[in-house]
Amino acid sequence: MAMVRVRFAPSPTGQPHIGWARTALFNWLFARRHGGTFVLRIEDTDQKRAVAGAREVFDAAFQWLGFTYDEGPGRDGGYGPYLQSQRIESHRRVAGELLDQGRAYPCFCTPEEIEARRAEDRRLGRPPRYPGTCRQLSQEERRRRMAGGEPYVIRLLAPEEGSIVVHDLVRGDVSFDLALLDDFVLMKADGTPTYNFASVVDDAEMAITHVLRADEHLANTPKQLILYQAMGRTAPAFAHVPMILAPDRAKLSKRHGATPLAEFMAQGYLPEAVVNYLMLLGWNPGGDREFLTLTEGAQLFSLDRVQKNPAVYDTQKMTWINAHYLRQLGEEELWQRAQPFLTARDLVPDQPSADQAAYAKAVLSLMQSRASTLVELAEAAAVLLTEPEEFDAQGVHRHFESPGAAGRLTALADRLQGATFDAAGLEAAITELAGEMGVARAELIHPARLAVSGRTVGPGLFEMLSVLGRERTVARLRQAAARASS
RNA sequence: GACCCCAUCGUCUAGAGGCCUAGGACGUCACCCUUUCACGGUGAAGACCCGGGUUCGAAUCCCGGUGGGGUCACCA
């Protein structure tokens, strides 16, 4: 295979979301797998909807995801410009050539006329189709009206019969009836290109070899194919990957289910987990693998294992994958990742001292297997990082309001004052005290957990106390004793 | 509505005519581990959309239905 060049061509509108990331990812994986180039092109043709700063937003998204484009805005590979709006000269030139060759023609119909016609078609149950009014115009009339400054669009002179086959790398051959294609618009009256036209000109000029995009574009492909024919250029290969659907099976949209990446970031998802999940949504390397890194994916990716049917995305599974990656982080790494979430909640200062950092790390490790996201981790860590304020109501009833509760807590505080503060030492001390008092260990353990954390659930008590340290432990026990029943 | 795509547990999927008594994972439910909660372990429930063919044999091939999705712009 010749040098593979793929492109990801988002419009600058809105936030990068889950579908955005999946399409970018598949393109990147394909490029890597074949030693090719992954190009980013921003389709900002529609200036009305252009959003300033899109490039920075995209770069931030790529940086978070952990992979990025080889060529694109600010990363010239000799096939620029990478902003579609900057290729306007080419769009006009090619449109002019098509006009000169008689493969396209100016159309002076007004939008109102077209719309009326379309409404009529719909009413009669006919496929809406441009009737070809301006097809018949003589060269003289065209020249005259164009020179006269009458507004016009440029339409492709599309073939009227026959069929065209898309050789799709995921779906196989898909045939379309050309009689159903009308003379679609190439250049709008304002002199800017339409999507199908700009996209084709750009792909051709950028020497794109494979177009991997979402399934929703499959129906556009015959238009693009006849455009390549009209331009006398070889079309790239196409591969339409299945769409990602919202949990209710509806198409993802800004308003519906297309969760922005920024939100996953804010919710404390790890990018490697999101990427792992996305990679396996609509593709799999065969077998039972659930965990895959970008590097592994880049070695294994192949279009013939891309699914044909759309995939509903399910946050539960992504959360599970996230929890898996979270548990695998070492203490230092965990701290690095969690720190922003801790400082955002004022659980550690912006510039923690060595002691504060060490304590936070120990707490994080303690909570690591009990959280699925960094947000959950921070919330779990808060229990030990701050003084307990609220105590679990049922726990209070059971452990603080039982007869002798205060006495047990005080006795425990007294005993732990002089205990060795590691898990083994604490266990020995508590076991011994329970024996002396003639109560089950649990009679001390449960009230103690509630006393130091305010919760009835959490890490093993001995580990928790050893992390908490003597001072905090004893203080919290005494405070709890004060409010418990004697 | 027309055109196109698709169809395996609730979800993601394995499955390329006999290996399928349809496998795995998430989720759900039990049990084990245990000082609680997680983690981990074990197990259970849970699917080939329907109907016709083809074949000795079909989840796998063909046809038809049904269902879901997409596209039908001077949006991208």
Side-chain angles (χ1 to χ4, degrees):
Chain A
M1 203 183 299
M3 182 63 176
V4 165
R5 292 176 57 80
V6 295
R7 49 53 158 199
F8 173 54
S11 93
T13 329
Q15 293 287 314
H17 57 79
I18 195 128
W20 185 102
R22 212 275 303 254
T23 302
L25 177 60
F26 277 19
N27 272 282
W28 182 86
L29 290 169
F30 184 78
R32 281 295 161 280
R33 173 68 179 79
H34 297 285
T37 305
F38 174 47
V39 181
L40 174 70
R41 175 173 77 230
I42 299 182
E43 305 218 331
D44 58 345
T45 299
D46 185 5
Q47 294 294 343
K48 285 189 290 294
R49 298 206 308 177
V51 174
R55 196 178 128 193
E56 287 70 25
V57 172
F58 290 177
D59 282 345
F62 279 121
Q63 190 183 355
W64 186 70
L65 288 168
F67 67 92
T68 194
Y69 47 96
D70 304 304
E71 252 179 56
R75 220 165 292 175
D76 197 351
Y79 291 91
Y82 297 94
L83 258 40
Q84 188 161 70
S85 59
Q86 292 177 4
R87 206 179 279 275
I88 186 76
E89 292 315 320
S90 294
H91 303 141
R92 289 186 180 142
R93 194 195 69 243
V94 174
E97 286 166 9
L98 291 171
L99 225 39
D100 292 344
Q101 295 162 357
R103 297 176 191 277
Y105 60 91
C107 167
F108 304 93
C109 299
T110 66
E112 292 72 32
E113 287 165 354
I114 299 288
E115 188 41 55
R117 172 66 191 221
R118 228 195 308 276
E120 176 75 359
D121 280 338
R122 258 193 289 270
R123 196 176 62 77
L124 295 172
R126 287 193 304 229
R129 198 163 180 284
Y130 177 67
T133 318
C134 294
R135 252 189 187 226
Q136 342 289 351
L137 268 32
S138 68
Q139 283 305 329
E140 286 84 333
E141 181 169 4
R142 283 173 182 161
R143 258 191 289 277
R144 183 174 51 75
R145 295 174 73 172
M146 284 164 82
E150 202 174 322
Y152 64 94
V153 300
I154 298 175
R155 289 184 183 273
L156 183 76
L157 188 73
E160 290 175 278
E161 53 186 25
S163 63
I164 194 157
V165 176
V166 179
H167 302 287
D168 192 276
L169 264 22
V170 169
R171 274 144 222 286
D173 288 357
V174 184
S175 176
F176 293 86
D177 187 352
L178 287 175
L180 265 18
L181 273 187
D182 63 356
D183 291 347
F184 58 94
V185 173
L186 266 27
M187 295 294 283
K188 307 179 214 170
D190 67 359
T192 62
T194 59
Y195 162 73
N196 281 120
F197 183 55
S199 180
V200 163
V201 170
D202 293 2
D203 284 343
E205 293 197 346
M206 292 173 133
I208 298 303
T209 59
H210 300 260
V211 173
L212 313 203
R213 48 157 50 155
D215 197 25
E216 58 188 320
H217 292 287
L218 181 56
N220 277 325
T221 310
K223 290 185 185 177
Q224 303 190 354
L225 247 21
I226 60 175
L227 245 176
Y228 280 104
Q229 285 175 2
M231 287 163 57
R233 315 252 336 203
T234 308
F238 290 94
H240 290 92
V241 305
M243 311 207 29
I244 299 177
L245 267 26
D248 63 355
R249 305 200 63 83
K251 185 185 175 182
L252 246 35
S253 69
K254 282 164 294 274
R255 287 208 49 170
H256 189 82
T259 314
L261 259 21
E263 192 166 317
F264 289 123
M265 198 187 318
Q267 287 174 356
Y269 282 90
L270 269 20
E272 59 269 46
V274 173
V275 163
N276 190 144
Y277 175 69
L278 252 25
M279 227 181 330
L280 263 21
L281 203 56
W283 172 76
N284 75 81
D288 294 337
R289 291 197 68 169
E290 304 291 344
F291 300 109
L292 215 58
T293 63
L294 272 174
T295 315
E296 291 168 326
Q299 286 161 354
L300 297 167
F301 190 77
S302 73
L303 289 176
D304 52 17
R305 294 200 65 92
V306 169
Q307 212 70 17
K308 291 191 184 72
N309 49 323
V312 172
Y313 93 100
D314 168 19
T315 336
Q316 283 185 317
K317 185 152 189 179
M318 188 166 74
T319 303
W320 172 76
I321 292 176
N322 201 64
H324 170 87
Y325 280 95
L326 198 61
R327 286 195 297 273
Q328 286 201 308
L329 298 178
E331 191 184 67
E332 186 58 33
E333 181 75 12
L334 189 65
W335 162 241
Q336 296 297 335
R337 306 261 201 147
Q339 196 177 357
F341 292 85
L342 296 177
T343 53
R345 285 163 182 72
D346 284 324
L347 295 170
V348 297
D350 283 341
Q351 304 288 333
S353 68
D355 278 356
Q356 287 169 325
Y359 179 53
K361 284 182 199 178
V363 170
L364 290 174
S365 294
L366 207 52
M367 298 300 182
Q368 190 168 18
S369 72
R370 275 161 263 263
S372 295
T373 64
L374 291 171
V375 165
E376 282 181 24
L377 183 63
E379 283 165 0
V383 163
L384 296 186
L385 257 17
T386 60
E387 291 292 317
E389 282 169 10
E390 311 232 321
F391 290 79
D392 180 86
Q394 205 172 26
V396 168
H397 178 69
R398 195 170 302 166
H399 303 303
F400 286 176
E401 291 172 356
S402 60
R408 285 194 292 278
L409 286 166
T410 305
L412 190 56
D414 291 343
R415 179 63 56 101
L416 295 188
Q417 193 89 54
T420 310
F421 256 72
D422 58 39
L426 287 160
E427 177 162 15
I430 289 171
T431 305
E432 192 180 70
L433 179 62
E436 289 170 22
M437 295 177 75
V439 299
R441 288 200 324 179
E443 296 286 314
L444 296 177
I445 289 172
H446 293 300
R449 174 177 295 106
L450 185 64
V452 300
S453 72
R455 314 281 295 274
T456 58
V457 300
L461 185 75
F462 311 129
E463 292 73 26
M464 182 156 63
L465 294 188
S466 74
V467 166
L468 209 48
R470 187 187 318 273
E471 213 171 307
R472 291 190 194 86
T473 298
V474 172
R476 291 184 187 187
L477 286 172
R478 292 203 192 285
Q479 212 153 18
R483 61 174 291 171
S485 312
S486 45

